Amino acid sequence: LSALCGILAAGAAGAILQSRRKNLYLKKSDEAQKKKLLTHLSLLSDEQKTRYFSRILSAETEGGAKRFGRSRLQTEDGFYFLAFRFAPVCADEIANISRLKTSKRKILLCDKIDEDAAALCDKLGVEVKTGEKVYAFVKARNALPSAYLGEETGKKNRRLRLCFGNTNSRRFFVGGA
C-alpha cells in the first residue's frame, strides 16, 4: 500500500513538473520569437515597415491601410505611427505625433518608450502599443515573417562540424584526442 501511494505521489509530482516545464519552454520560445521580431522591425527601412504593417492592417479593415508619411499608416479607425528602433521613443517624437490634428485615434507602435513619453501619450490621448502588444498583434494575425533580419546563421556549427568531421577523425584517433 505504501509503495502504491509513493508511486502515485511521484507520478503526480512528475506530471506537475512536466506541465510547468512545458509552460516555461513556451514562454521562453515566445520571448525569443518576440525579440527576433522586434529586432527585425528595427532593422527594416521605413518603407518596408509601412508595407509590412499595411498588409496586416489591410486584411483587418475594409478600406485598407494607406501610407501617410514616412512611417505612418492611415486606416478608417485611426493613424498608426511606426517607431521601431533600438532606442526608446522619446517625448519629442510624441510631440511630433500630437501635432496631427484629427478626430481619429492615434496609435503608436514601438518597441520601447520612455516614462516621460508614456506620460505625455496619456495626456495627449495617443494610444501606445509596445513590443509585447505588437508581437501579440502580429502573431494573432499569423503575419510573423518566415525569415528575420539580424538572425544568427549556422556558420559556427558548420565550422565545428568541419573540425570534427570524418576527414580529421584519423588524426584525432592517432593523437589520442
Side-chain angles (χ1 to χ4, degrees), residues 9-10 13-14 28 33 35 40-41 44-45 48 51-53 59-60 63 78 88 112 135 140 145 154:
K28 283 186 179 180
Q33 188 85 2
K35 201 171 196 177
H40 175 77
L41 291 173
L44 287 176
S45 67
Q48 290 172 326
R51 198 176 325 124
Y52 178 71
F53 278 100
E60 187 176 293
K112 300 173 196 159
Y135 173 71

Side-chain angles (χ1 to χ4, degrees), residues 33-41 52 135 144-145 148:
Q33 188 85 2
K34 180 188 84 166
K35 201 171 196 177
K36 284 182 194 177
L37 176 70
L38 294 174
T39 303
H40 175 77
L41 291 173
Y52 178 71
Y135 173 71
L144 290 172
Y148 296 97

Side-chain angles (χ1 to χ4, degrees), residues 6 13 16 25 34 45 51 53 57 70 80 83 85 87 94 96 104-106 127 137 139 143 154 160 169-170 176:
I16 290 170
Y25 174 74
K34 180 188 84 166
S45 67
R51 198 176 325 124
F53 278 100
L57 295 171
R70 263 184 50 188
Y80 288 84
R85 57 186 66 93
I94 303 302
N96 289 336
K104 293 183 180 182
R105 294 183 334 170
K106 297 175 188 172
E127 186 179 330
F137 176 76
K139 187 177 179 183
L160 189 63
S169 63
R170 287 187 204 114

Side-chain angles (χ1 to χ4, degrees), residues 93-120:
E93 296 169 36
I94 303 302
N96 289 336
I97 291 171
S98 69
R99 290 188 186 114
L100 179 67
K101 303 296 180 196
T102 182
S103 60
K104 293 183 180 182
R105 294 183 334 170
K106 297 175 188 172
I107 303 158
L108 173 67
L109 302 177
C110 63
D111 184 3
K112 300 173 196 159
I113 188 166
D114 284 340
E115 292 176 16
D116 297 334
L120 187 60

